[in-house]
Amino acid sequence: IETERPSVIEVGSCFAVPWIVKRAARASGIPLVGFFHGNLARTVCPFPEQASAAIRLMYDTTWKYIRAVYGQCDLTVCASEFAAADLAAHGVERVAVVPLGVDLQHFHPHRHELACETREALGLPTDRRLFAFVGRFAREKEIDVLLEAWPEIERRTDAGLVLVGDGHQRKQVDALVQRSDRVYRLPYQGDRDALANLLAAVDVVVSPGSAETFGLCALESLASGTPVLAADRGGV
């Protein structure tokens, strides 16, 4: 900090980093901005109104910690009105909404023209509707909601499900893949062109997480002309 003399410091973590940075920046007078890009409290307890007393206590305690972290920042930036409302409701002041964005030239409906080619290249069927989840296989993404619902969706429809990514819930994902010949798992897509082609090649993208502070993949899907099925709360 002393060498670079930045005009502002942005902190993207709510764990050890903000405490270290605040101490290091204290004497410099440089403004400290916190980026609230993960709703830790709603990860602990997505639906506090339905939670047990013990879980609700964890939820309230997490918000006390969040207030302590972001209370030392000159400004807290979040990416959606939902996140801003959550912060305000729990006593975090000096909040600004700065939505994320996507490249509308890159994620574009014209890639639908490559849908059959994209599906064939990825080993996906070309003769049925495909739902897709693209992201981390993680508890906070609530992918378990989709995994538990899928057998009933499969029973009622002829659709297939594509699960794209990786994470600590990969075993649950692989278990569903093994039980069904209409569920497909693809690895994390590190190539932006491959990801854009994939989002345009499926029929619906599913975003089940109720604690999303924005939902970048959902916006990329919409930019690609692909409908999004989402939870009725959260940034999406």
Side-chain angles (χ1 to χ4, degrees), residues 25-92:
R26 186 176 296 153
S28 69
I30 298 170
L32 184 64
V33 174
F35 181 23
F36 183 76
H37 64 84
N39 196 322
L40 182 61
R42 287 193 181 271
T43 299
V44 170
C45 177
F47 297 93
E49 65 276 10
Q50 301 173 10
S52 66
I55 299 298
R56 178 67 198 219
L57 178 61
M58 290 175 60
Y59 175 78
D60 292 338
T61 302
T62 304
W63 270 115
K64 288 180 181 178
Y65 177 75
I66 290 172
R67 281 196 299 275
V69 170
Y70 293 101
Q72 64 186 330
C73 296
D74 297 283
L75 181 70
T76 296
V77 173
C78 59
S80 68
E81 296 292 347
F82 176 82
D86 234 6
L87 288 164
H90 293 90
V92 179

Side-chain angles (χ1 to χ4, degrees), residues 112-195:
H112 281 293
E113 299 170 6
L114 304 172
C116 284
E117 179 182 331
T118 298
R119 289 191 182 196
E120 288 175 352
L122 294 172
L124 302 174
T126 59
D127 59 348
R128 63 165 39 109
R129 291 171 295 175
L130 288 178
F131 287 76
F133 171 88
V134 182
R136 287 184 293 114
F137 301 158
R139 177 174 177 267
E140 60 268 27
K141 297 296 183 181
E142 296 183 79
I143 188 176
D144 56 302
V145 174
L146 175 58
L147 300 181
E148 291 171 13
W150 186 255
E152 181 65 14
I153 298 170
E154 190 176 83
R155 188 182 70 81
R156 296 190 189 191
T157 74
D158 66 345
L161 175 63
V162 187
L163 299 163
V164 185
D166 209 340
H168 65 261
Q169 289 191 304
R170 180 175 171 178
K171 288 184 178 179
Q172 293 94 313
V173 169
D174 288 342
L176 183 62
V177 172
Q178 292 170 6
R179 293 196 303 269
S180 172
D181 60 359
R182 281 197 268 154
V183 180
Y184 314 88
R185 190 178 74 79
L186 296 176
Y188 167 78
Q189 300 294 302
D191 182 272
R192 290 182 75 243
D193 278 314
L195 176 61

